[in-house]
């Protein structure tokens, strides 16, 4: 493979038993480059979420290899994969996953506390950089959808991971907020050399992604690079 920083090589993942067995991914090979935001699309059941789970060290393949940060994680122990996940990957979700009882700043800083590091100063800096300097003490219910997702992005960036994985990050947002979040993630890829993979049905991403990958029935059916990037 030309680039093993973040990649899957001939991977297969199957679910079910006996006659109900099926391949969620089959012989899939893909590489994801730094400074690029890759959009993964496909119908339900195409393998998008399974691919994201492999790249996020949340799932092991039944065949093939998975590379994260240049390391083959497909045969690592659970504890080693957890360390790789904590050090190299930030996750962004559709549902934000914020603690409603905590102020925005604490929702970001808590990721550092879980990792056993005092990162409150960095949490504040990130929120200011993302335009949330005036929202530090507000709780999630006092924030707009776009602001909640920015808090979630700050949390994902707290430990400065080189890889960001986003699962439908704009599905719950209005048009303006969704466009802002998509633009923000693309800029993070370009400006900070991050490798970003976004799974989404949202058509807004097609214009902003550096590359689009199309899956169907667990296989790659097409991919194209934006002519503007």
């Amino acid at each position: 493979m030309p680039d093993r920083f973040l990649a899957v090589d001939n991977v297969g993942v199957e679910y079910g038993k006996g006659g109900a067995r099926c391949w969620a991914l089959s012989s899939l090979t893909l590489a994801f480059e730094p400074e690029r935001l890759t959009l993964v699309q496909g119908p339900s059941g195409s393998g998008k979420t399974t691919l994201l789970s492999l790249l996020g060290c949340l799932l092991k393949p039944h065949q093939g290899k998975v590379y994260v940060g240049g390391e083959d994680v497909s045969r690592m122990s659970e504890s080693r994969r957890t360390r790789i996940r904590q050090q190299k990957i930030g996750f962004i979700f559709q549902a934000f996953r914020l603690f409603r009882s905590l102020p925005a700043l604490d929702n970001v800083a808590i990721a550092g506390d879980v990792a056993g590091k005092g990162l409150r100063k960095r949490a504040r800096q990130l929120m200011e950089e993302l335009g949330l300097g005036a929202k530090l003490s507000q709780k999630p219910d006092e924030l707009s959808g776009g602001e909640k997702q920015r808090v979630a992005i700050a949390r994902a960036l707290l430990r400065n991971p080189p890889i960001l994985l986003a699962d439908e990050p704009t599905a719950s947002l209005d048009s303006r907020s969704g466009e802002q979040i998509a633009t923000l993630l693309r800029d993070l890829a370009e400006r900070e050399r991050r490798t970003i993979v976004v799974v989404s049905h949202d058509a807004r991403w097609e214009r902003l992604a550096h590359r689009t990958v199309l899956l169907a029935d667990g296989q790659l059916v097409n991919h194209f690079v934006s002519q503007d990037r």
Side-chain angles (χ1 to χ4, degrees):
M1 293 187 65
D3 185 352
R4 291 181 174 179
F5 177 71
L6 182 66
V8 292
D9 184 7
N10 195 38
V11 296
V13 177
E14 63 177 342
Y15 294 113
K17 296 181 180 180
R21 290 172 61 187
C22 65
W23 288 91
L25 292 175
S26 178
S27 302
L28 181 65
T29 296
L30 277 172
F32 304 89
E33 301 175 354
E35 289 189 85
R36 293 291 182 270
L37 188 156
T38 299
L39 171 64
V40 180
Q41 292 187 316
S44 297
S46 61
K48 304 185 301 298
T49 299
T50 301
L51 173 60
L52 214 62
S53 296
L54 288 175
L55 297 175
C57 297
L58 298 170
L59 181 69
K60 284 187 176 183
H62 293 101
Q63 70 175 47
K65 296 180 179 180
V66 180
Y67 295 93
V68 176
E71 298 185 67
D72 179 6
V73 301
S74 54
R75 299 296 175 263
M76 284 184 181
S77 65
E78 179 63 30
S79 61
R80 286 188 66 194
R81 287 191 300 123
T82 297
R83 286 196 296 272
I84 293 289
R85 185 166 62 244
Q86 291 174 340
Q87 294 167 359
K88 299 183 178 180
I89 302 170
F91 293 92
I92 304 166
F93 305 98
Q94 174 182 348
F96 315 130
R97 300 192 179 183
L98 303 178
F99 292 96
R100 296 179 64 183
S101 62
L102 295 180
L105 178 60
D106 290 345
N107 264 288
V108 176
I110 196 171
D113 294 337
V114 170
K117 300 177 181 178
L119 294 175
R120 194 172 184 83
K121 182 178 179 180
R122 175 165 168 77
R124 181 183 293 271
Q125 178 185 354
L126 282 168
M127 290 192 66
E128 290 173 351
E129 291 176 356
L130 295 178
L132 295 169
K135 306 288 183 176
L136 300 178
S137 62
Q138 291 188 293
K139 294 181 179 180
D141 287 347
E142 300 173 297
L143 302 174
S144 69
E147 289 168 343
K148 290 177 187 176
Q149 194 59 288
R150 285 174 182 264
V151 172
I153 291 171
R155 181 183 58 197
L157 292 171
L158 185 67
R159 286 172 282 139
N160 200 28
I163 298 164
L164 290 181
L165 304 178
D167 188 5
E168 296 287 0
T170 57
S172 301
L173 304 180
D174 59 48
S175 297
R176 182 172 177 271
S177 296
E179 183 89 6
Q180 289 175 340
I181 294 300
T183 301
L184 170 61
L185 289 179
R186 183 203 63 198
D187 290 346
L188 284 172
E190 295 177 346
R191 186 175 68 251
E192 300 182 1
R193 291 191 47 95
R194 299 185 194 274
T195 302
I196 301 181
V197 182
V198 175
V199 165
S200 181
H201 291 97
D202 190 338
R204 290 172 291 195
W205 288 97
E206 296 174 13
R207 180 175 59 82
L208 293 165
H210 297 97
R211 180 175 65 144
T212 299
V213 170
L214 301 178
L215 301 181
D217 298 322
Q219 296 182 316
L220 176 67
V221 295
N222 201 358
H223 71 99
F224 55 89
V225 176
S226 172
Q227 298 301 310
D228 298 331
R229 309 293 169 203

